[in-house]
Amino acid sequence: MLARDEGRDGEELVNMRQVPTHIALLRGINVGGNNRIAMSDLRAIVASLGHADVATYIQSGNVVFTAGDGNADTSTLAADLERSIADRLGLRPRAVVYSRDELAGVVRDNPFPEEANPKQVHAVFTSAVPGPEMVESVADAERQAAAKGGRDRARFIGRTLYLHTPDGFGRSELALLLGRARGPMASGSSGTARNWATVRKLLEMCAG
């Protein structure tokens, strides 16, 4: 996709600079001194895979890029990135890749638009649409949290889990439950959470 600008006479001009087509999100890097990856190294790795227009955002492993193979599916792009990080850095963080259109859909479909604080809504990006057991486990965790007086809510739409934590993510009983064995945020899973401000910023970066 090419970026487009409007000339002085109102005529739309085509800017040959492309805008990113995909977003990669790494799980659990640069947290508590573990899995340290410099963003310059991450950009170099993504570029080495034949991708262009590579840019990172903050230190938590958010990369936008134009896929070198426009026909590659997101699971293949994620697997290639994981393998290259392991080969070059000896680290094995999980990666999730979404297309630009998928990310736009994540923003559009937010089931908690009434929340004004972007730190109280998180999107948990996962590698695949959840099966019935995963959906039920999230519903069960929500019920357990509510039984303890929690106000948190969670909802899967496609392969994205939306998490609303009005009393704070760090204090969320529901987030804690979702991070336990076989949950969408459990250690070893692909699920990686970003707050709503980061989600919107990444989409902005893909708009050119």
Side-chain angles (χ1 to χ4, degrees):
M1 179 178 177
L2 299 178
R4 294 181 179 273
D5 299 302
E6 190 173 282
R8 291 183 180 180
D9 58 358
E11 181 181 357
E12 190 178 50
L13 304 176
V14 176
N15 183 340
M16 294 308 293
R17 177 180 57 84
Q18 290 190 318
V19 294
T21 61
H22 289 79
I23 306 90
L25 304 112
L26 303 186
R27 175 187 167 92
I29 70 166
N30 299 338
V31 177
N34 298 318
N35 284 341
R36 299 290 300 176
I37 298 179
M39 293 301 98
S40 57
D41 290 340
L42 182 56
R43 290 191 295 271
I45 289 171
V46 174
S48 75
L49 292 170
H51 307 317
D53 308 307
V54 181
T56 52
Y57 177 64
I58 59 178
Q59 300 296 309
S60 56
N62 310 294
V63 194
V64 299
F65 61 95
T66 296
D69 180 359
N71 295 319
D73 60 41
T74 55
S75 60
T76 297
L77 293 171
D80 288 346
L81 178 56
E82 289 177 352
R83 183 165 50 252
S84 187
I85 291 173
D87 290 345
R88 296 183 59 168
L89 302 179
L91 300 174
R92 298 185 180 278
R94 297 296 304 274
V96 179
V97 174
Y98 275 52
S99 71
R100 179 182 56 231
D101 289 345
E102 283 183 297
L103 185 62
V106 169
V107 172
R108 182 191 64 236
D109 295 338
N110 175 18
F112 308 117
E114 72 281 359
E115 177 56 72
N117 186 342
K119 293 183 179 180
Q120 313 300 27
V121 175
H122 284 70
V124 182
F125 297 92
T126 70
S127 58
V129 175
E133 290 185 2
M134 178 64 74
V135 173
E136 177 54 31
S137 73
V138 169
D140 183 58
E142 188 174 31
R143 288 190 291 268
Q144 291 181 52
K148 294 183 178 182
R151 300 189 295 153
D152 302 344
R153 295 177 290 167
R155 180 180 172 189
F156 263 115
I157 298 179
R159 61 183 175 124
T160 304
L161 176 65
Y162 296 84
L163 181 59
H164 181 215
T165 57
D167 299 314
F169 184 81
R171 301 167 55 190
S172 171
E173 177 71 16
L174 179 55
L176 178 65
L177 292 170
L178 295 175
R180 291 181 177 173
R182 293 187 288 184
M185 297 167 57
S187 176
S189 73
S190 66
T192 183
R194 300 295 187 273
N195 70 40
W196 204 245
T198 295
V199 172
R200 295 191 66 90
K201 178 61 178 181
L202 291 172
L203 182 59
E204 178 185 319
M205 291 172 68
C206 288

